[in-house]
Amino acid sequence: MHYTIDPAQIGAFERFAREWMRLVAAHGGVHHGYFLPAEGASDKAEALFSFESLAAYERYRARFGNDPEFVAADSIRNDSGCVVRYERTFMRPLLPTD
């Protein structure tokens, strides 16, 4: 996921990110981390996570808007305005061979 964030709300974005890392892991995915601005002014952040299959991802996505934990995690974003916009891109890994 590619995020445009409000740099003044980085603490809220970190709370939001930690909740989503926990939720992805709790619901069958592997969260590879959020990558946040490190130096200077920046409004870009990235997140990488994966699921074993599209079906597993769809089961996870079915909880959005319904599951109280997912709603609570989204409320961090909504209440703080820490995320200005986001873009979801689906990719597959190309791993090194032995």
Side-chain angles (χ1 to χ4, degrees):
M1 303 244 332
H2 315 285
Y3 291 93
T4 301
I5 63 173
D6 178 348
Q9 293 293 333
I10 195 76
F13 186 80
E14 289 179 8
R15 286 192 307 279
F16 165 79
R18 289 188 191 287
E19 277 303 297
W20 281 109
M21 286 189 281
R22 183 183 68 75
L23 290 169
V24 166
H27 294 283
V30 176
H31 208 294
H32 306 283
Y34 279 82
F35 299 83
L36 308 177
E39 291 185 28
S42 178
D43 64 351
K44 303 296 180 208
E46 301 287 330
L48 295 172
F49 58 91
S50 57
F51 284 82
E52 68 178 34
S53 66
L54 179 58
Y57 176 72
E58 288 174 342
R59 284 190 298 275
Y60 158 82
R61 288 284 300 163
R63 296 177 173 278
F64 280 58
N66 300 313
D67 185 295
E69 287 187 297
F70 283 58
V71 171
D74 270 347
S75 72
I76 297 169
R77 179 196 63 215
N78 296 340
D79 294 347
S80 70
C82 64
V83 175
V84 176
R85 85 180 136 271
Y86 64 92
E87 175 185 333
R88 189 175 289 119
T89 302
F90 295 93
M91 305 168 80
R92 64 178 176 83
L94 178 63
L95 302 173
T97 58
D98 295 314

